[in-house]
Amino acid sequence: MTAIWSVDKKKFIENAQQVKAQQNLMAVVKNNAYNYGLDFSVEAFQEAGIDTFSTTSLKEAVRIREIAPEATIFLMNAVYDFETVRNNEIHMTLPSLNYYYQYKEDLAGIHVHLEFENLLHRSGLRNLEEIKEVLQDHANNNSHKKMIISGLWTHFGYADEFDVPEYEIEKEAWLNIVNTLLEDGYEFEMIHAQNSAAFYREGQELLPHHTHGRVGIALYGSRPYSSLSENQIHQSLTVKGNVIQVRDVNKGEYCGYSFAYEVEKDHTKLAVVDIGYGDGVLRTRAQHEAIINGKRYPIKALMMSHMFVAVDDSVTAEDEVILYNEDMRIDEYTFKGVGANSEQLSALNHDSLIKEIR
Ligand SMILES: Cc1ncc(COP(=O)(O)O)c(C=O)c1O
């Protein structure tokens, strides 16, 4: 018995189709596709009708090119290995005015997307003036060694926040830039801004003039915010362990390392389960429950390869212990404060869990 990470491929693809609906999406596949696996996810998203991908790592971008020779690939981080970017026809962000002036010759033949920094301040041109400066310098540049301006993009840092006005502020600033540039006669093959939250906040629609939504977590089956219904986004992932044995412990006894759990009642039944933080179960997640035989039981202590779950007489050795499935979703625990959807997913350890694509 070993704990298992498994994905129902058909459900994964159906969810991607439901998220995409009629829109053009760029699937964000960074960090090994939110830990679902880059190869698996790119292939599944292609089956769902998505042909554009983005990541932050050049290594992943090159791998996507190997898996998907015809795909459009957008690298969200600027890199300095221009040869690899060019040879693999990877589109790349233009992250600052300095970068442009320093590397404009090195960027020859590379498709760049001008980035607007907006409220996130992580990367990008600072304002409309800087964007126009690049566009004008580029237009006036008679060299045959020129980059190709193919896109315009930003990332909303507050799309997942509902109690503050920042999303509306950053959206307005961005739309103002898009509209001004288009009115000035500039053309962009690709315009993209919306992550999952911003895509759903707009009713699963793209903002005006946008060619793509740049969506991650919804494609992997987790809701970006809690007012969305579970029927809108479906989880295909199951993470489960097994009961190794059930032990009878008494009031006042301590279980787990360093007094982790003090037993409150005599004849408490504690299931010892073969999954722990070494498999990527977050300590915050272990403050909640697990499902055994369809019923939720409280987790009492977390160790590297084990956990204790307080159970009743119906639970026996070899029963399955569900930590995540369609009834116990990653996003449920996001909204309970365990950690971001992507944080819970990224923690899962594929080197110790058995990995199954069903
Ligand atoms: C620049 C950028 N765009 C899009 C996304 C996708 O976000 P989400 O997973 O919330 O859809 C991310 C994820 O962090 C990102 O960094």
Side-chain angles (χ1 to χ4, degrees):
M1 289 190 303
T2 306
I4 292 178
W5 175 104
S6 74
V7 167
D8 181 329
K9 185 174 180 188
K10 186 163 167 281
K11 254 197 200 170
F12 185 91
I13 294 171
E14 283 168 0
N15 176 64
Q17 286 166 331
Q18 189 181 350
V19 172
K20 179 184 181 306
Q22 310 309 321
Q23 307 296 348
N24 257 347
L25 293 189
M26 176 190 289
V28 179
V29 292
K30 65 183 189 171
N31 294 93
N32 198 28
Y34 290 48
N35 218 8
Y36 275 78
L38 187 62
D39 289 31
F40 162 74
S41 301
V42 167
E43 280 163 22
F45 289 148
Q46 284 185 306
E47 281 188 50
I50 296 170
D51 62 358
T52 306
F53 300 95
S54 75
T55 178
T56 45
S57 128
L58 180 57
K59 179 171 165 256
E60 287 188 339
V62 170
R63 179 64 192 150
I64 299 166
R65 174 59 68 231
E66 286 165 6
I67 313 163
E70 307 298 326
T72 302
I73 303 165
F74 174 60
L75 185 56
M76 299 188 278
N77 281 353
V79 294
Y80 303 86
D81 180 355
F82 302 101
E83 204 55 29
T84 303
V85 174
R86 197 169 15 250
N87 290 345
N88 287 279
E89 288 184 58
I90 292 164
H91 292 219
M92 186 171 73
T93 187
L94 189 82
S96 70
L97 209 49
N98 281 347
Y99 183 93
Y100 171 66
Y101 284 122
Q102 196 169 350
Y103 299 110
K104 63 182 184 178
E105 285 208 2
D106 299 289
L107 288 165
I110 293 177
H111 292 267
V112 300
H113 296 203
L114 307 187
E115 178 177 1
F116 171 47
E117 97 173 316
N118 221 335
L119 296 188
L120 184 60
H121 302 295
R122 185 165 69 184
S123 177
L125 298 152
R126 282 182 218 279
N127 47 40
L128 184 62
E129 289 65 42
E130 286 198 2
I131 297 176
K132 280 191 168 174
E133 186 174 330
V134 173
L135 287 163
Q136 282 158 10
D137 185 85
H138 183 74
N140 296 334
N141 181 357
N142 294 323
S143 163
H144 64 281
K145 288 182 81 179
K146 282 174 70 170
M147 63 187 194
I148 304 156
I149 298 180
S150 295
L152 183 66
W153 77 293
T154 195
H155 186 44
F156 296 131
Y158 294 88
D160 299 54
E161 302 292 333
F162 284 80
D163 302 333
V164 291
E166 267 70 12
Y167 173 61
E168 294 304 328
I169 295 169
E170 62 187 350
K171 186 172 100 179
E172 196 185 322
W174 166 244
L175 290 178
N176 183 40
I177 285 189
V178 172
N179 289 334
T180 309
L181 293 174
L182 295 182
E183 278 161 22
D184 286 356
Y186 292 109
E187 288 175 3
F188 303 92
E189 209 179 290
M190 294 173 72
I191 301 179
H192 47 101
Q194 293 157 275
N195 68 351
S196 299
F199 182 57
Y200 278 89
R201 283 178 86 152
E202 304 302 326
Q204 255 176 305
E205 301 267 351
L206 298 181
L207 290 166
H209 310 297
H210 285 54
T211 60
H212 292 81
R214 205 178 52 253
V215 168
I217 196 63
L219 288 171
Y220 299 98
S222 299
R223 291 168 294 162
Y225 54 86
S226 59
S227 57
L228 288 172
S229 119
E230 289 194 353
N231 292 330
Q232 287 179 272
I233 297 174
H234 294 274
Q235 180 172 313
S236 57
L237 172 71
T238 298
V239 177
K240 62 186 179 190
N242 310 279
V243 176
I244 302 172
Q245 55 173 307
V246 179
R247 301 187 68 83
D248 196 296
V249 286
N250 288 321
K251 184 173 161 57
E253 289 179 331
Y254 288 97
C255 302
Y257 296 115
S258 307
F259 313 108
Y261 164 55
E262 184 182 354
V263 179
E264 297 117 32
K265 276 196 285 185
D266 282 342
H267 297 298
T268 294
K269 301 268 179 277
L270 271 193
V272 183
V273 181
D274 62 355
I275 186 167
Y277 63 76
D279 302 295
V281 179
L282 297 181
R283 193 157 285 281
T284 44
R285 171 66 187 81
Q287 289 162 7
H288 298 271
E289 325 84 349
I291 295 177
I292 307 175
N293 303 325
K295 187 172 163 192
R296 290 186 177 220
Y297 295 97
I299 300 170
K300 292 296 186 184
L302 181 71
M303 291 151 279
M304 185 173 182
S305 324
H306 302 97
M307 59 173 61
F308 286 129
V309 181
V311 294
D312 53 31
D313 287 334
S314 68
V315 173
T316 57
E318 297 189 81
D319 284 346
E320 280 185 356
V321 182
I322 309 280
L323 288 177
Y324 292 115
N325 72 358
E326 62 211 13
D327 299 322
M328 186 165 247
R329 295 168 52 135
I330 297 273
D331 53 29
E332 174 188 337
Y333 292 101
T334 301
F335 308 140
K336 286 180 173 167
V338 164
N341 288 313
S342 53
E343 194 178 338
Q344 294 176 70
L345 290 169
S346 303
L348 296 169
N349 182 354
H350 292 296
D351 288 326
S352 65
L353 296 164
I354 290 178
K355 194 169 176 177
E356 270 181 11
I357 308 282
R358 286 178 282 134

